[in-house]
Amino acid sequence: MLESLDAIKNYRAYITIALGGFAGLMVFAMFAFIGTQLAMNGNFGMASVSGGIGGLLGMVIYYICFLATGFLLMDQAKGIEIRSVSSALLAGVLSLHRFIGLQLLFGLIALAIGIVVSILLFICKIPGVGPVLYAFVFPVSVVAIGLAFFAFVNVFAPLSLPAIFDGNNVWDIVGKLLALARTNLLPAVVYQILLLLIVALTALVSFGTLLYGFLPVAGLSTMILPSGGMSGIGGMVGGMMGGLSGAGGEGSGYTMAAGFGGALIFLLAAAMPLLTLIMGNCIIYLNFMRDQDPGQLEAIVRGKLDDMKKKAEEARRKMAEQSAKIPQSPGAEKQSGPASPSCSKCNQPVSDDEVFCGNCGNKLK
């Protein structure tokens, strides 16, 4: 797991994740500034729209760079030649839909689990047998949700990203992670705990180092620069927002500069533990997947889908059989009645007592 610290040496990944966060933040700040100006003119509706668009675009830019960083680190974890930043960014764009699809799928699974448990609890409200059912539903639900939570936190959430970086589609990812959760859930939990300890220590060193430099510079800036230019941590954190809100005065430019510089400091400090986390999950994924048969994993997913299709076809067939067994109502039979006779040659209707067809002369009897 200590090999995850090698991610810090990947300067391409470091630059990509830091610039991605900075670009996303700048896009959001620009739209937030536009929204602030619109709100000051009384156009609150357009201000909200501007803020929403800025937030959405900022997240898209950041996640593309985040995925690109993952591809760079996966190359490093595999020991192959690390691709260029432009190639990684292109891979990030092309894999964004997989990332979004997985998040939606995970959300639907969580919703389905909640609905099933809720239905079971409503069934437990039946008078008489309700308490008896609840005695079994309660422990089963607790165990099921607990296992699902641990599987999501330690397998699906962290390892779905390396699976994307490895070039898998959504169904392959689900199949691999299901197999991993069924066979190696406990080792995955242990690996995640070790990785989180390493990431926490990395974050402590990263933020601690910058904090030692920040404190004296902030103090000197407060004494030397104009009032309001840099007032400690509060000035750094609120600098950009103060500038966006149109704060004037002699020190307003320094306040905006403090916010800009503070954002850079935070991104530089956060990049190191984030790279360690991504790299560590790539290593865990590769270690677990090394002994797995990709064909077998795909067969698991295809088998589940085939079972669902067979059950749907069986249900449809049974419904058709039941519909065929339902007798027609007497009124329907009377309404339809027996079919009227017709000529076998020209298909014109004839009466029962006719011997020859009145239309074509064909002999009927």
Side-chain angles (χ1 to χ4, degrees), residues 12-355:
R12 294 179 182 176
Y14 204 102
I15 293 174
T16 302
I17 193 67
L19 289 182
F22 181 75
L25 183 61
M26 289 299 100
V27 169
F28 173 72
M30 179 182 68
F31 278 88
F33 174 77
I34 296 174
T36 301
Q37 300 301 316
L38 291 172
M40 292 176 62
N41 293 328
N43 198 341
F44 297 102
M46 291 301 299
S48 301
V49 172
S50 176
I53 294 175
L56 181 61
L57 290 178
M59 285 192 297
V60 169
I61 292 173
Y62 172 75
Y63 280 120
I64 289 175
C65 294
F66 176 83
L67 294 172
T69 303
F71 282 102
L72 294 171
L73 293 177
M74 178 60 80
D75 291 344
Q76 182 180 357
K78 289 181 176 179
I80 62 178
E81 182 180 357
I82 300 176
R83 69 191 73 190
S84 64
V85 175
S86 59
S87 177
L89 288 172
L90 178 60
V93 172
L94 296 178
S95 60
L96 183 61
H97 68 286
R98 297 178 185 174
F99 174 76
I100 297 174
L102 281 174
Q103 306 314 307
L104 293 175
L105 180 61
F106 293 155
L108 290 175
I109 292 174
L111 180 62
I113 293 174
I115 292 175
V116 170
V117 173
S118 300
I119 292 174
L120 292 175
L121 292 176
F122 272 110
I123 295 175
C124 291
K125 295 177 66 176
I126 299 176
V129 297
V132 178
L133 293 175
Y134 185 68
F136 295 95
V137 170
F138 177 73
V140 170
S141 299
V142 170
V143 172
I145 292 179
L147 289 175
F149 174 79
F150 267 94
F152 176 77
V153 172
N154 297 286
V155 175
F156 288 92
L159 300 185
S160 60
L161 290 173
I164 293 177
F165 306 148
D166 198 27
N168 297 284
N169 58 43
V170 173
W171 291 116
D172 288 339
I173 293 172
V174 173
K176 289 182 177 183
L177 297 184
L178 279 175
L180 177 58
R182 284 178 9 184
T183 58
N184 293 291
L185 180 57
L186 185 58
V189 173
V190 175
Y191 273 118
Q192 289 298 325
I193 292 174
L194 294 175
L195 177 59
L196 290 178
L197 290 175
I198 295 174
V199 172
L201 292 175
T202 305
L204 182 63
V205 173
S206 177
F207 282 95
T209 301
L210 294 179
L211 183 63
Y212 278 118
F214 168 77
L215 292 176
V217 173
L220 291 173
S221 299
T222 303
M223 292 185 294
I224 297 174
L225 296 178
S227 175
M230 181 67 174
S231 55
I233 297 179
M236 183 196 77
V237 176
M240 186 171 295
M241 296 309 298
L244 290 176
S245 62
E250 185 180 4
S252 61
Y254 293 102
T255 303
M256 293 181 63
F260 181 84
L264 288 179
I265 292 173
F266 177 81
L267 291 173
L268 291 174
M272 190 179 297
L274 183 57
L275 292 179
T276 304
L277 180 63
I278 299 174
M279 182 68 167
N281 281 314
C282 289
I283 294 174
I284 294 173
Y285 169 83
L286 292 175
N287 287 337
F288 279 124
M289 292 299 114
R290 187 174 293 116
D291 300 327
Q292 298 288 345
D293 181 10
Q296 182 181 4
L297 295 174
E298 184 176 358
I300 293 175
V301 180
R302 302 303 176 191
K304 296 291 185 183
L305 292 176
D306 290 340
D307 289 342
M308 293 175 62
K309 291 180 180 178
K310 289 180 180 179
K311 291 180 180 179
E313 289 294 335
E314 184 68 18
R316 190 181 299 111
R317 184 180 63 80
K318 289 183 177 180
M319 290 179 62
E321 292 178 355
Q322 294 295 330
S323 299
K325 292 179 181 180
I326 298 176
Q328 293 185 351
S329 62
E333 293 181 359
K334 178 182 275 187
Q335 181 177 0
S336 58
S340 58
S342 60
C343 175
S344 60
K345 186 176 181 180
C346 64
N347 293 325
Q348 291 295 322
V350 294
S351 61
D352 294 333
D353 57 350
E354 286 184 293
V355 179

